[in-house]
């Protein structure tokens, strides 16, 4: 039981880390960022590349997150910005274009075969025992970072002036603009943050997941599930939803391994029917 | 009025069939016929999805589910060896429509992007079921082993030319039916639901009823496309029901045009030809297609056929307020979330 | 000596690839007219996405053999040309591309390097056209074991799941006897290949070691990024050994994540697909006691011919050959040998010649490969198991499997299924 509980937590926190950027961008910009998985992939590859040169995991993670954030600004300024007024389908099409391009670019640069980064020696130790259940040091580190991310994003949005502007922009863009706030810059900032989080997730996952062009694909669907169940745009909701899915998978693999997958999608469907705004959504926004 | 529509539709169907039927005698290439079959099937699928997206304003991201249900139902029935092709087709379409009725009733409880995500979730449940239920569906291998194609009404679907005529014929008749639906009072009611659901409700019409009806009709025609693909490859595969398949239909619609009936068919043609010629020359197909899509998003932002039709109308009317005309003809763009 | 010949090979290879590149840049119609004299072999495969490595390493393997054939003058001056098409992993695309390769590109033969679901689609196409087709990648047993699938013009030069399972079961049972372990668990990808391979392995493990018991199974889905729940499940059941048929990146992720939990401290691992250069070289921290089937290693079989082949491959493609490479190369060798023997490019004549054909090959268990006549599938290929180390040559004391044993048990299994 303890192991399963701890597992649910581990799985959930890793899921949250990956999904946080997606839900942030949706919450503020009302854009469904389908390139999220590709940004995650780029973060992983960038970290792999930097780690290969410098042999420093810290440096790799920092440069990867920052690099993807910068790339996010480029994406937002050149592409997404033109489509805020357009419909959802046009955004979707554009993201699809980027998914195709980025997958092939990664294949061109790093080859089609999968790569493995290896565990930084600091984390290569025996797992710790918590109440009789093992948990690797590296996962404690990831969980810590996930909490920090959740806390930092929440603080940023609730406590700072940047956050209040962001919230204002989320509720009423034109009014915020009329008040002399540069919403355009604000949007770029939020997009950079969301992209940076995707890059961070990719960089953090790189030591334990093999890298391959197209790896963003499975992450994308998982992130959507978390985002939708938690309430699109709600960081806290994403956290709870991610752990909920962790519980599903952790106990499902013991009880009904074949049906875990179906169960998770069923959960998503039930939430959408009963509470379309998700467990922690703000109710009817429109 | 309705009779005139019916006869004009029938006329178009006959003309289209004569043209398509004449092609093999002009072009002797089996490749071109194969490409036409693919375009016809994907085109029908995309147009059926567009009945929801373009005409009803419901963005479904889960329609491949019915493409797959049609393909699997047909394949499974044929593998029993006890069904004739038309009976299996009818049964496959009917069961898909029934499935769509249930799914539609659930999905239309939600709106806008939630509808999109709900259709996606249910589709993924369906897809996971196909993968898990290996004894019935063959899991990820798909329905393999092929099936016999008994001759009916003199049509022998083991013969490649008969396959071509049959698939082209079914697609054209289906498109005729869909065209007829979009031009019927029902079709105009769907447009009203799309443009102003509140007013429709106020007029005493049942908005949800219309949405469910559109959902079921679209699903039925999507399943026809699935049946045809299953017939063509003598099998059914799980990726027929994967979300990327729904995504592809949406890309065809976007590239070809949302606002014109045949737009998605144009999109299907573009994607199929691109796929065919680009993959023959480079393994970096994604890079080429992705770049084309990005250029399109930055520069055009409208389906090809939509642009052609708009230009044509603007040209015919001289320059009398083309902007207003475009706006009138283009309500989907502003309506979608 | 070898240096010179390698250089020559490389130059010839470069010249050939230049020629192909130059030709394919031109218009396809012109290409068709100019190369009417070439023998065309169409390859439907996967060149993009997660398993692009399949297409790349298979076509490289095939290309190497074709280059040698062309360099030696081809067939009556006719050169062989490969036409490669990316199915992107969609079986309906495989079906269309194969028809296209045969009907429009006028390919003489098909070398199918697609994943197994694509292979069934290709199989259906050549069933109709009668074109000679060699399946070089799919390992799924039913493709050739089930007589319902049999057609006279399709052969397989890939490993067969059932044969692999017999070898694995026998080896695992031996190791288990030496170390006295009986508690086993399996972890395999939840799709047909994984279920098939695992079930057969368990069957033969119990055949050779009746005391073995399976205390649990875990079925992650394919390309799952996170294996936490399965790893802890294994730890709870405390088996003495696990068998896994995870492949490629999935296997490496599983090992990396298992290491974090110290999963392999007490458990002996039997990973059928580990000993393939591109997989094994990616494992940064190899568990202490791991065993693997020999997928492809230049040290197995430990012969000059095999090493020379691996060196030629690496020199030409700046990459290591994979299991897929040798399978595609063997498929190509059989096809080319059939052209030589029959002095024709006629699918039917060649198929007749291929049934039961034996060729010399670096990949044979005794230097020879056989296309068994009864089910038209490859036998006598070098296969075995050994203990894995993380340095070249990666495997210690690899034991060559006995084809007599394999054939016996395979026949029994077929009879039980009503296939023989």
């Amino acid at each position: 039981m303890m192991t399963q509980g701890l597992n649910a937590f581990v799985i959930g926190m890793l899921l949250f880390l990956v999904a946080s950027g997606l839900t942030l961008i949706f919450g503020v910009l009302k854009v469904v960022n389908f390139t999220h998985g590709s940004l995650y992939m780029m973060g992983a590859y960038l970290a792999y590349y930097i780690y290969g040169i410098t042999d420093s995991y810290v440096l790799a993670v920092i440069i990867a997150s920052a690099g993807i954030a910068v790339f996010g600004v480029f994406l937002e300024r050149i592409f997404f910005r033109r489509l805020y007024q357009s419909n959802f389908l046009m955004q979707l099409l554009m993201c699809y274009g980027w998914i195709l391009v980025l997958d092939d670019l990664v294949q061109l640069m790093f080859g089609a075969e999968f790569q493995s980064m290896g565990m930084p020696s600091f984390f290569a130790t025996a797992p710790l025992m918590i109440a009789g259940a093992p948990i690797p040091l590296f996962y404690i580190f990831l969980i810590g970072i996930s909490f920090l991310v959740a806390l930092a994003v929440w603080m940023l949005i609730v406590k700072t002036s940047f956050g209040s502007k962001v919230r204002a922009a989320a509720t009423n863009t034109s009014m915020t603009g009329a008040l002399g706030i540069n919403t355009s810059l604000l949007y770029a900032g939020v997009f950079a943050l969301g992209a940076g989080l995707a890059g961070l997730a990719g960089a953090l996952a790189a030591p334990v997941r093999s890298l391959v062009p197209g790896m963003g694909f499975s992450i994308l669907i998982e992130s959507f599930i978390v985002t939708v169940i938690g309430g699109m745009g709600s960081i806290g909701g994403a956290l709870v939803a991610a752990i909920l899915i962790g519980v599903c998978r952790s106990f499902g693999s013991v009880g009904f391994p074949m049906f875990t997958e179906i169960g998770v999608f069923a959960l998503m469907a039930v939430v959408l029917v009963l509470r379309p705004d998700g467990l922690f959504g703000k109710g009817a926004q429109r | 009025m309705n009779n005139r529509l019916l006869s004009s539709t029938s006329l178009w169907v006959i003309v289209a069939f004569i043209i398509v039927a004449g092609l093999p005698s002009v072009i002797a290439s089996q490749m071109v016929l194969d490409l036409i079959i693919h375009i016809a099937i994907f085109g029908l699928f995309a147009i059926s999805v567009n009945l929801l997206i373009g005409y009803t304003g419901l963005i479904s991201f889960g329609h491949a589910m019915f493409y797959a249900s049609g393909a699997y139902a047909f394949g499974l029935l044929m593998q029993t060896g006890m069904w004739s092709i038309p009976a299996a087709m009818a049964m496959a379409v009917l069961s898909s429509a029934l499935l769509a009725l249930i799914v539609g009733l659930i999905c239309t409880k939600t709106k806008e992007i939630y509808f999109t995500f709900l259709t996606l979730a249910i589709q993924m449940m369906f897809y996971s079921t196909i993968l898990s239920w290996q004894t019935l569906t063959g899991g990820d291998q798909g329905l393999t082993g092929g099936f016999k194609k008994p001759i009916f009404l003199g049509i022998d679907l083991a013969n490649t030319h008969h396959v071509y005529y049959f698939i082209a014929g079914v697609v054209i008749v289906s498109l005729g039916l869909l065209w007829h639906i979009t031009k019927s009072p029902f079709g105009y009611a769907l447009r009203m639901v799309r443009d102003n659901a509140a007013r429709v409700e106020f007029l005493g019409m049942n908005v949800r009823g219309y949405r469910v009806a559109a959902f079921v009709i679209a699903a039925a025609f999507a399943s026809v496309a699935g049946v045809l693909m299953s017939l063509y490859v003598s099998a059914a595969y799980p990726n027929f029901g994967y979300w990327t398949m729904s995504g592809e239909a949406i890309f065809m619609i976007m590239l070809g045009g949302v606002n014109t009936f045949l737009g998605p068919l144009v999109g299907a043609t573009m994607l199929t030809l691109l796929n065919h010629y680009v993959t023959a020359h480079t393994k970096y197909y994604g890079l080429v297609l992705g770049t084309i899509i990005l250029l399109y998003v930055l520069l055009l932002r409208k389906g090809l056929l939509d642009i052609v039709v708009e230009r044509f109308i603007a040209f015919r009317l001289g320059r009398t307020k083309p902007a207003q005309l475009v706006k009138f003809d283009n309500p989907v763009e502003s309506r979608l979330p | 000596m070898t240096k010179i010949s390698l250089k020559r090979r490389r130059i010839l290879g470069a010249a050939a690839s230049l020629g192909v590149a130059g030709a394919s840049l031109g218009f396809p119609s012109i290409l068709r007219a100019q190369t009417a004299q070439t023998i065309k072999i169409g390859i439907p495969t996967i060149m993009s996405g997660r398993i692009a490595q399949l297409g790349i390493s298979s076509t490289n393997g095939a290309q190497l053999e074709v280059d040698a054939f062309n360099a030696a003058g081809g067939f009556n001056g006719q050169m062989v040309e490969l036409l490669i098409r990316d199915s992107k992993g969609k079986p309906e695309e495989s079906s269309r591309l194969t028809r296209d390769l045969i009907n429009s590109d006028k390919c003489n033969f098909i070398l199918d390097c697609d994943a197994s679901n694509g292979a069934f689609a290709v199989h259906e196409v050549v069933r109709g056209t009668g074109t000679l087709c060699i399946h070089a990648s799919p390992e799924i047993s039913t493709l050739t074991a089930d007589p319902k699938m049999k057609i006279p013009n399709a052969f397989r030069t890939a490993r067969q799941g059932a044969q692999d399972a017999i070898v694995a079961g026998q080896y695992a049972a031996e190791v288990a006897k030496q170390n006295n372990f009986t508690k086993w668990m399996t972890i395999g990808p939840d799709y047909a290949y994984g279920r098939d391979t695992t079930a057969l392995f368990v069957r033969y493990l119990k055949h050779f070691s009746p005391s073995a018991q399976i205390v649990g199974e875990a079925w992650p889905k394919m390309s799952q990024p996170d294996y936490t729940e399965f790893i802890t499940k294994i730890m709870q059941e405390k088996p003495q050994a696990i068998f896994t048929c995870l492949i490629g990146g999935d296997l490496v992720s599983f090992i990396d994540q298992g290491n974090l939990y110290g999963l392999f401290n007490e458990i002996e691992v039997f990973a059928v697909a580990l000993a393939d250069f591109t997989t094994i070289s990616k494992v940064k921290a190899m568990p202490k006691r791991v065993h693997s089937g020999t997928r492809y290693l230049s040290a197995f079989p430990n012969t000059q011919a095999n090493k020379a082949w691996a060196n030629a491959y690496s020199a030409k493609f700046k990459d290591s050959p994979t299991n897929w490479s040798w399978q595609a190369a063997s498929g190509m060798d059989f096809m080319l040998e059939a052209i030589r023997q029959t002095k024709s490019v006629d699918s039917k004549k060649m198929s007749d010649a291929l049934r039961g054909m034996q060729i010399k090959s670096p990949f044979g268990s005794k230097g020879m490969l056989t296309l068994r006549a009864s089910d038209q599938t490859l036998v006598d290929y070098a296969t075995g198991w050994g203990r894995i180390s993380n340095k070249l040559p990666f495997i210690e004391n690899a034991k060559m499997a006995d084809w007599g044993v394999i054939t016996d048990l395979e026949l029994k299994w077929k009879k039980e299924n009503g296939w023989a």
Side-chain angles (χ1 to χ4, degrees):
Chain A
M1 270 310 269
M2 188 61 207
T3 317
Q4 252 80 48
L6 203 60
N7 258 351
F9 195 64
V10 169
I11 296 168
M13 291 311 279
L14 300 187
L15 272 178
F16 166 75
L17 194 62
V18 175
S20 57
L22 184 71
T23 196
L24 177 75
I25 289 180
F26 184 82
V28 179
L29 308 182
K30 297 281 175 289
V31 171
V32 184
N33 179 18
F34 272 84
T35 61
H36 190 76
S38 303
L39 296 175
Y40 165 90
M41 169 184 74
M42 284 176 59
Y45 269 99
L46 192 52
Y48 164 76
Y49 179 68
I50 303 285
Y51 185 70
I53 297 176
T54 65
D55 206 28
S56 160
Y57 185 52
V58 177
L59 213 57
V61 170
I62 292 172
I63 293 180
S65 337
I68 305 306
V70 171
F71 182 70
V73 173
F74 161 77
L75 269 187
E76 202 273 346
R77 290 286 87 179
I78 311 285
F79 289 90
F80 279 91
R81 189 170 61 93
R82 293 163 202 267
L83 297 180
Y84 288 140
Q85 305 308 321
S86 275
N87 66 55
F88 164 66
L89 289 178
M90 196 55 81
Q91 295 168 0
L92 183 73
L93 188 65
M94 192 261 287
C95 292
Y96 179 58
W98 271 114
I99 291 174
L100 292 175
V101 167
L102 292 178
D103 273 357
D104 265 13
L105 282 182
V106 165
Q107 185 174 338
L108 261 173
M109 286 189 279
F110 293 92
E113 66 205 78
F114 67 91
Q115 305 291 346
S116 156
M117 175 164 151
M119 181 59 58
S121 54
F122 178 77
F123 294 111
T125 57
L128 308 175
M129 298 304 277
I130 295 177
I135 179 165
L137 184 62
F138 184 67
Y139 284 173
I140 296 181
F141 165 71
L142 289 192
I143 290 170
I145 296 218
S146 304
F147 262 123
L148 280 182
V149 164
L151 199 67
V153 173
W154 179 76
M155 293 274 279
L156 190 72
I157 293 195
V158 178
K159 300 280 176 192
T160 63
S161 74
F162 172 77
S164 50
K165 285 177 201 161
V166 165
R167 273 178 296 144
T171 14
N172 194 332
T173 316
S174 50
M175 185 63 94
T176 328
L179 287 171
I181 295 167
N182 189 344
T183 49
S184 169
L185 207 63
L186 206 63
Y187 277 24
V190 171
F191 202 94
L193 187 59
L197 285 175
L200 176 72
L204 288 175
V208 281
R209 294 179 186 179
S210 51
L211 281 59
V212 67
M215 66 188 275
F217 218 63
S218 44
I219 291 303
L220 185 63
I221 281 278
E222 282 192 341
S223 305
F224 274 132
I225 301 172
V226 170
T227 307
V228 167
I229 294 181
M232 299 169 72
S234 159
I235 287 283
L239 193 62
V240 175
I243 292 178
L244 201 61
I245 291 171
V247 171
C248 266
R249 276 185 33 200
S250 177
F251 288 92
S253 78
V254 179
F256 326 87
M258 295 283 276
F259 297 106
T260 332
E261 185 78 0
I262 303 172
V264 169
F265 286 111
L267 182 66
M268 174 171 165
V270 169
V271 167
L272 276 168
V273 172
L274 300 181
R275 279 187 69 101
D277 275 310
L279 298 178
F280 293 82
K282 295 185 205 85
Q285 275 188 345
R286 293 193 221 201
Chain B
M1 167 67 197
N2 219 5
N3 265 339
R4 230 172 62 198
L5 175 65
L6 196 64
S7 55
S8 82
T9 311
S10 322
L11 189 68
W12 277 115
V13 165
I14 292 165
V15 169
F17 188 73
I18 290 171
I19 293 172
V20 173
L23 276 175
S25 49
V26 185
I27 310 156
S29 159
Q30 180 66 41
M31 171 193 78
V32 178
L33 301 188
D34 274 346
L35 280 178
I36 293 175
I37 290 176
H38 269 251
I39 291 169
I41 293 174
F42 287 132
L44 174 60
F45 177 50
I47 287 178
S48 78
V49 177
N50 198 36
L51 184 73
L52 280 183
I53 292 181
Y55 288 90
T56 323
L58 290 172
I59 302 180
S60 164
F61 212 127
H63 234 59
M65 175 177 170
F66 304 110
Y67 181 77
S69 73
Y72 271 93
F74 179 75
L76 284 169
L77 290 175
M78 291 311 292
Q79 282 193 340
T80 62
M82 299 192 298
W83 288 69
S84 73
I85 287 176
M89 277 183 82
M91 190 63 202
V93 174
L94 207 68
S95 51
S96 299
L98 198 68
L99 182 67
L101 180 65
I102 299 164
V103 175
L105 280 171
I106 298 169
C107 288
T108 48
K109 275 180 167 287
T110 57
K111 272 181 264 181
E112 294 169 355
I113 194 138
Y114 305 112
F115 174 84
T116 307
F117 275 111
L118 187 55
T119 49
L120 174 69
I122 294 180
Q123 163 180 274
M124 289 306 287
M125 276 169 71
F126 187 75
Y127 172 76
S128 307
T129 311
I130 292 179
L131 282 191
S132 304
W133 198 344
Q134 280 182 9
T135 46
L136 181 73
T137 62
D140 61 297
Q141 297 288 336
L143 280 185
T144 49
F147 42 76
K148 292 235 158 45
K149 294 165 188 163
I151 299 173
F152 65 98
L153 304 175
I155 304 174
D156 174 16
L157 292 178
N159 174 318
T160 47
H161 275 85
H162 284 208
V163 169
Y164 171 78
Y165 290 123
F166 182 73
I167 290 180
V170 173
V171 167
I172 290 170
V173 170
S174 304
L175 291 186
L177 286 172
L178 273 167
W179 169 254
H180 193 75
I181 289 169
T182 61
K183 287 293 169 191
S184 69
F186 174 77
Y188 282 99
L190 292 185
R191 290 185 187 72
M192 270 168 73
V193 168
R194 172 194 72 193
D195 295 337
N196 194 337
R199 201 171 75 191
V200 175
E201 198 93 59
F202 186 73
L203 288 173
M205 290 153 76
N206 181 351
V207 171
R208 192 158 161 228
Y210 276 101
R211 285 190 173 139
V212 172
F215 196 92
V216 173
I217 293 169
F221 282 100
S223 74
V224 172
V227 166
L228 293 178
M229 184 50 97
S230 167
L231 179 72
Y232 176 62
V233 296
S234 303
Y237 302 105
N239 69 304
F240 286 3
Y242 198 47
W243 64 279
T244 48
M245 189 73 204
S246 303
E248 241 165 77
I250 291 179
F251 303 135
M252 287 170 187
I253 295 171
M254 296 299 289
L255 289 176
V258 192
N259 298 315
T260 33
F261 179 75
L262 288 179
L265 183 67
V266 173
T269 312
M270 288 161 71
L271 265 187
T272 311
L273 292 183
L274 262 177
N275 175 26
H276 180 76
Y277 287 105
V278 176
T279 11
H281 287 282
T282 168
K283 60 180 180 179
Y284 296 107
Y285 166 72
L287 202 58
V288 177
L289 180 63
T291 311
I292 291 172
I293 288 179
L294 290 179
L295 286 175
Y296 160 86
V297 169
L298 284 184
L299 303 176
L300 289 176
R301 297 212 205 156
K302 264 189 197 131
L304 192 65
L305 197 59
D306 281 1
I307 293 172
V308 171
V309 169
E310 269 169 32
R311 291 276 158 84
F312 180 68
I313 293 173
F315 177 76
R316 266 218 324 211
L317 294 183
R319 294 201 167 270
T320 47
K321 295 182 185 174
Q324 209 179 2
L325 184 103
V326 169
K327 207 175 166 195
F328 172 75
D329 199 36
N330 203 10
V332 181
E333 299 274 316
S334 49
R335 212 358 239 149
L336 297 172
Chain C
M1 213 6 220
T2 43
K3 235 181 199 168
I4 294 165
S5 70
L6 253 179
K7 210 172 189 181
R8 220 188 106 221
R9 230 174 212 257
R10 207 183 301 171
I11 291 166
L12 282 168
S17 55
L18 255 177
V20 171
S24 61
L25 279 175
F27 291 101
S29 51
I30 297 173
L31 179 80
R32 217 161 286 152
Q34 282 174 340
T35 54
Q37 283 306 303
T38 60
I39 300 165
K40 292 184 188 171
I41 299 176
I43 305 187
T45 183
I46 302 174
M47 301 292 283
S48 54
R50 287 190 71 102
I51 38 175
Q53 181 73 3
L54 163 68
I56 293 168
S57 65
S58 314
T59 50
N60 283 352
Q63 189 67 54
L64 201 59
E65 304 310 302
V66 168
D67 288 351
F69 182 79
N70 287 344
F75 165 63
N76 292 342
Q78 279 182 275
M79 298 290 138
V80 170
E81 182 194 352
L82 297 180
L83 281 76
I84 299 159
R85 296 287 184 273
D86 181 9
S87 73
K88 304 178 194 70
K90 295 181 191 164
E92 74 274 24
E93 266 296 279
S94 312
S95 169
R96 186 182 72 82
L97 289 172
T98 309
R99 289 167 63 95
D100 203 24
L101 283 166
I102 296 169
N103 292 325
S104 321
D105 293 311
K106 306 289 176 216
C107 282
N108 302 73
F109 320 111
I110 295 293
L111 183 73
D112 158 38
C113 298
D114 212 322
S116 55
N117 52 6
F120 282 105
V122 173
H123 200 77
E124 287 312 311
V125 174
V126 295
R127 188 196 289 271
T129 61
T131 313
L132 170 65
C133 166
I134 294 188
H135 299 290
S137 311
E139 296 174 28
I140 182 102
S141 298
T142 48
L143 183 62
T144 53
D146 184 350
K148 275 207 297 284
M149 295 301 299
K150 188 171 173 179
I151 50 176
N153 53 314
F155 298 80
R156 182 221 312 255
T157 58
R159 303 163 168 282
Q160 185 184 316
Q163 296 167 349
D164 250 11
I166 294 167
V167 181
Q170 188 178 17
Y171 176 86
E174 243 165 64
V175 178
K177 248 176 232 161
Q178 284 162 16
N179 298 284
N180 255 333
F181 43 70
T182 52
K183 281 172 76 180
W184 287 77
M185 244 186 107
T186 62
I187 172 165
D190 190 7
Y191 71 116
Y193 161 78
R195 296 238 162 223
D196 205 36
T197 308
T198 306
L200 282 165
F201 169 78
V202 169
R203 175 195 164 105
Y204 290 109
L205 173 69
K206 286 185 171 166
H207 173 87
F208 287 107
S209 164
S211 61
Q213 59 175 126
I214 306 296
V215 295
E217 301 168 358
W219 300 104
K221 63 182 170 102
M222 193 153 69
S223 70
Q224 170 142 346
D226 184 2
Y227 293 89
T228 305
E229 67 260 40
F230 305 104
I231 290 165
T232 49
K233 188 180 172 189
I234 295 172
M235 293 181 77
Q236 281 180 327
E237 304 288 349
K238 294 194 176 57
Q240 291 160 305
I242 51 175
F243 170 79
T244 176
C245 55
L246 289 169
I247 58 166
D250 290 359
L251 177 60
V252 174
S253 290
F254 172 68
I255 292 178
D256 282 348
Q257 294 176 20
N259 275 333
L260 281 182
Y261 279 92
L263 175 68
F264 309 113
N265 291 348
E266 310 289 327
I267 297 175
E268 197 111 355
V269 183
F270 293 78
V272 63
L274 181 59
D276 205 344
F277 275 125
T278 46
T279 306
I280 203 165
S281 60
K282 298 291 159 48
V283 180
K284 296 279 157 64
M286 187 67 72
K288 273 179 293 179
R289 293 192 309 277
V290 193
H291 307 260
S292 172
T294 54
R295 302 290 282 181
Y296 180 77
L297 293 172
S298 55
F300 188 88
N302 201 357
T303 59
Q304 274 308 316
N306 191 30
K307 280 204 185 67
W309 188 81
N311 288 339
Y313 183 102
S314 303
K316 184 168 164 65
F317 303 110
K318 309 276 168 283
D319 199 0
S320 300
T322 66
N323 180 53
W324 294 313
S325 309
W326 83 257
Q327 294 181 160
S330 301
M332 193 48 76
D333 287 342
F334 271 110
M335 230 178 238
L336 298 174
E337 182 57 30
I339 295 176
R340 282 193 208 100
Q341 283 191 10
T342 62
K343 299 198 173 44
S344 80
V345 287
D346 178 79
S347 281
K348 191 165 175 319
K349 276 189 205 159
M350 283 169 63
S351 299
D352 291 340
L354 280 169
R355 231 163 278 125
M357 183 188 279
Q358 281 200 315
I359 58 167
K360 261 186 74 170
S361 165
F363 320 116
S365 65
K366 292 184 181 115
M368 299 292 276
L369 288 176
T370 310
L371 268 181
R372 188 164 59 193
S374 61
D375 56 358
Q376 310 190 156
T377 199
L378 185 72
V379 291
D380 294 340
Y381 54 88
T383 181
W385 274 70
R387 199 139 148 211
I388 294 300
S389 67
N390 55 355
K391 294 189 293 292
L392 274 166
F394 292 120
I395 202 156
E396 295 163 3
N397 313 322
K399 258 192 81 179
M400 185 76 73
D402 178 355
W403 272 96
V405 177
I406 299 177
T407 323
D408 269 4
L409 289 170
E410 192 191 354
L411 192 66
K412 270 186 203 147
W413 166 72
K414 279 187 180 171
K415 277 188 179 143
E416 272 174 43
N417 284 302
W419 289 340

